[in-house]
Amino acid sequence: MRVDVDRDRCCGSGMCALTEPQVFDQEERDGTVVLLRPHPAEALWDSVEESARLCPAQAITLDDAAPPADRTP
């Protein structure tokens, strides 16, 4: 899975960081999303998908493609 975020679209609600803090964080100055892991481990996929569903601004997009073989998730 590949995760992308649109920081311009983000409204800073923090649902993503609350739901999956291993993948998402927030900027201290304005609360916008910070993507920590664009290729999260498979064990985190369910919570990452929930984060995307809960995002009121729909600023999180997911691609079901597997991470590149030479990249550690």
Side-chain angles (χ1 to χ4, degrees):
M1 169 187 290
R2 174 160 175 74
V3 181
D4 287 306
V5 296
D6 184 341
R7 292 176 48 87
D8 292 331
R9 191 173 193 153
C10 178
C11 66
S13 76
M15 292 306 299
C16 57
L18 290 171
T19 305
E20 188 43 72
Q22 294 182 65
V23 177
F24 305 101
D25 198 358
Q26 290 180 274
E27 285 285 346
E28 285 189 32
R29 66 178 167 78
D30 64 3
T32 56
V33 64
V34 174
L35 181 60
L36 302 174
R37 293 183 180 187
H39 294 283
E42 189 172 349
L44 303 175
W45 289 5
D46 287 342
S47 59
V48 170
E49 289 173 348
E50 183 177 0
S51 295
R53 282 192 302 273
L54 292 174
C55 179
Q58 299 178 351
I60 301 170
T61 55
L62 308 176
D63 181 350
D64 291 334
D70 61 341
R71 175 176 236 151
T72 304

